[in-house]
Amino acid sequence: MTTRVLTGITPSGTPHLGNYVGAIRPAIAASQAEGIESFFFLADLHSLIKAQEPDRTQRSTLEIAASWLACGLDPDKVWFYRQSDIPETTELMWLLTCVAGKGILNRAHAYKAAIDKNREEQLDDDAGVTAGLFMYPVLMAADILIFNANKVPVGRDQIQHIEMARDFGQRFNHVYGKEFFTLPEAVVDEQVSVLAGLDGRKMSKSYNNTIPLFASRAELKKLIAQIVTDSRAPGEPKDTEGSALFQLYQAFASAEQSAAFAQAFADGIGWGDAKAQLLDVVDGHLAPMRERYNALMAEPEKIEALLRRRGAQLREQFAVPLLRELRNAVGLRDLSSVGDKPQEKAAAKVALPLFKQYREADGQFYFKLLDGQGNLLLQSTGYPSPRDAGQRIAGLKQADQAEALGGTDLKLQVEAGQVLEALAAMREAVAD
Ligand code: TRP
């Protein structure tokens, strides 16, 4: 059995070295493992929650696609696609919306954070909060469930969303009586490499301390020159511990190179020299990828064609057949087939025992109990009115006790135990 691993990437902005070291590189490496079927997609529908500038959305989607391909994602070995190319995802989202508890969505971190911020600023709770932000976890659940992903690698902040996807999937399975969906598991990498930025804090757009992944060598040089160091002079031994410069070097160098660099620190390498070495090792690693990136960006139509091709395959193989099944399961059906094929639940009912009431030529009212196959289990004597017969049936249906079968009005055709069992089965079906 292969394990399906699904990764969603929200296109926003240009990737930086921190994204590469912490997310892109490890995800691509993981996708090359045996026994794994990988799904990577550009979550462009999700990006609309934050970004409502069409040209930026388009550009960012292209840049992120080109980045992952340039970094070595092999589009023939993994499923690489664009969320909005699978319209069944949004259709599934609605089906899930109708089983998703609103209370669960109220507790989603991103939504709650927006509310908290409004309260702090003494605004209305929902000021500026779109329904898109609120529904975000349902769309994400649809992304995951539509391909029956087993594992979803995420950051800590996203674990809750995977729990929600499980919850919605499970509810749907329960309501419609079949294991339509595999329940996904979150995979959290405890040792995510967090790269330091130019100022020594975590490299992040919000700190404005990033180095763009595909910066030219000249830009790299300029940015590396800005990395904060201490004021020790050449010849003075330097600490590798807590050094953003050393950490960056390590992220792009072999173990031997890093060991030699650490030795150079101990031997008092000057910061200028250290930065020159850092530039060489980072640029050496990135240059071939940058070249691929620039080539890909120069031919966006190729990326477009690739995404469309993979999207079409995914629809044909998975999404369209699944939605056909789900539409039928929820009752969005061809009207001309009404009453045609009993659905599974109805079929189960047919197999249940049932009471039949009827009137005989003597003018009296009778009933009998038949099992699912139509075999006679018990036969009543005559009652003066249908109401009397109905009351006796109601009593039998409620009774738990063997005494219920007592009295001269009932003729058991099989053992009392079998009749009681049939009655219990009927009660259970009603309780369901
Ligand atoms: N919400 C994710 C993020 O911001 C992106 C995403 C969308 C995703 N759909 C997904 C991730 C499905 C995993 C699975 O990072």
Side-chain angles (χ1 to χ4, degrees):
M1 264 291 278
T2 60
T3 302
R4 287 197 179 165
V5 182
L6 179 134
T7 304
I9 309 143
T10 307
S12 69
T14 316
H16 53 69
L17 294 189
N19 301 136
Y20 174 71
V21 170
I24 303 176
R25 187 168 63 180
I28 292 176
S31 76
Q32 289 157 350
E34 286 293 314
I36 299 270
E37 186 178 14
S38 291
F39 293 71
F40 286 91
F41 70 97
L42 304 155
D44 56 349
L45 295 173
H46 274 105
S47 80
L48 301 181
I49 294 167
K50 277 196 196 141
Q52 298 181 327
E53 294 166 65
D55 292 340
R56 246 187 77 191
T57 297
Q58 179 191 29
R59 174 126 206 119
S60 182
T61 306
L62 172 64
E63 283 181 1
I64 298 292
S67 300
W68 282 75
L69 292 169
C71 290
L73 194 71
D74 181 347
D76 291 318
K77 297 237 168 70
V78 306
W79 291 106
F80 186 50
Y81 60 102
R82 175 170 49 190
Q83 186 183 29
S84 63
D85 281 338
I86 318 281
E88 289 75 20
T89 299
T90 38
E91 190 177 352
L92 174 57
M93 180 192 173
W94 181 252
L95 300 187
L96 296 172
T97 298
C98 294
V99 297
K102 176 174 175 287
I104 291 183
L105 295 174
N106 287 340
R107 293 192 284 276
H109 298 318
Y111 172 68
K112 263 176 49 186
I115 302 246
D116 290 346
K117 188 159 169 276
N118 280 337
R119 286 191 184 160
E120 243 167 60
E121 294 168 17
Q122 307 200 335
L123 295 168
D124 182 74
D125 271 7
D126 282 322
V129 177
T130 64
L133 178 68
F134 187 67
M135 298 302 293
Y136 174 118
V138 191
L139 180 56
M140 188 158 157
D143 291 329
I144 298 169
L145 297 176
I146 200 164
F147 297 123
N148 279 326
N150 306 100
K151 307 219 153 158
V152 186
V154 286
R156 297 211 148 274
D157 59 320
Q158 298 277 325
I159 297 177
Q160 187 193 37
H161 294 147
I162 311 305
E163 296 300 325
M164 290 186 185
R166 292 174 65 88
D167 185 274
F168 305 153
Q170 202 160 24
R171 279 182 200 228
F172 190 96
N173 287 348
H174 179 74
V175 170
Y176 295 106
K178 194 180 156 193
E179 299 298 302
F180 294 102
F181 299 119
T182 303
L183 304 183
E185 272 171 51
V187 184
V188 181
D189 185 353
E190 298 293 349
Q191 290 135 25
V192 192
S193 320
V194 177
L195 204 63
L198 300 176
D199 57 0
R201 291 186 292 175
K202 173 187 171 179
M203 189 179 288
S204 160
K205 261 164 232 153
S206 38
Y207 294 147
N208 201 19
N209 63 356
T210 64
I211 301 179
L213 179 53
F214 300 115
S216 66
R217 185 180 169 102
E219 285 170 279
L220 271 180
K221 187 172 178 194
K222 223 173 78 191
L223 289 166
I224 285 174
Q226 293 171 22
I227 294 175
V228 175
T229 56
D230 60 30
S231 55
R232 278 180 240 187
E236 283 185 68
K238 316 228 163 14
D239 287 331
T240 54
E241 189 72 25
S243 160
L245 198 157
F246 185 79
Q247 198 214 7
L248 259 166
Y249 186 94
Q250 220 177 5
F252 291 93
S254 67
E256 294 85 63
Q257 285 175 309
S258 296
F261 202 51
Q263 188 57 51
F265 268 52
D267 294 344
I269 185 174
W271 288 124
D273 282 350
K275 286 183 173 181
Q277 286 195 31
L278 174 63
L279 175 64
D280 279 344
V281 84
V282 173
D283 189 55
H285 184 92
L286 296 181
M289 296 188 332
R290 182 166 60 222
E291 212 170 291
R292 280 201 294 274
Y293 178 80
N294 290 334
L296 286 160
M297 287 299 286
E299 292 182 308
E301 66 282 359
K302 284 203 175 152
I303 295 183
E304 179 63 33
L306 162 74
L307 293 173
R308 285 196 197 186
R309 175 168 64 83
R310 293 305 257 168
Q313 288 170 339
L314 282 167
R315 290 187 69 202
E316 191 188 314
Q317 285 189 37
F318 306 110
V320 171
L322 176 67
L323 263 291
R324 195 180 298 131
E325 190 189 5
L326 296 181
R327 280 171 151 263
N328 183 58
V330 302
L332 305 176
R333 297 182 188 144
D334 180 340
L335 299 183
S336 68
S337 74
V338 70
D340 244 22
K341 314 172 256 179
Q343 297 302 310
E344 273 167 57
K345 277 202 167 177
K349 272 190 192 123
V350 167
L352 282 172
L354 83 160
F355 281 103
K356 277 208 166 153
Q357 257 185 285
Y358 56 98
R359 190 178 189 181
E360 283 284 36
D362 63 4
Q364 301 220 72
F365 297 85
Y366 294 76
F367 64 81
K368 52 190 176 183
L369 178 64
L370 305 170
D371 73 9
Q373 284 75 51
N375 302 312
L376 189 60
L377 302 180
L378 85 82
Q379 169 69 60
S380 78
T381 56
Y383 292 87
S385 75
R387 211 167 151 247
D388 292 317
Q391 274 178 358
R392 184 66 169 122
I393 291 175
L396 282 171
K397 281 184 177 170
Q398 280 162 20
D400 248 337
Q401 314 289 327
E403 304 81 273
L405 298 179
T408 53
D409 58 330
L410 302 179
K411 286 179 237 161
L412 305 192
Q413 311 293 315
V414 294
E415 283 178 25
Q418 261 176 280
V419 176
L420 289 170
E421 241 172 62
L423 292 170
M426 291 172 84
R427 266 195 302 279
E428 244 168 60
V430 173
D432 268 355

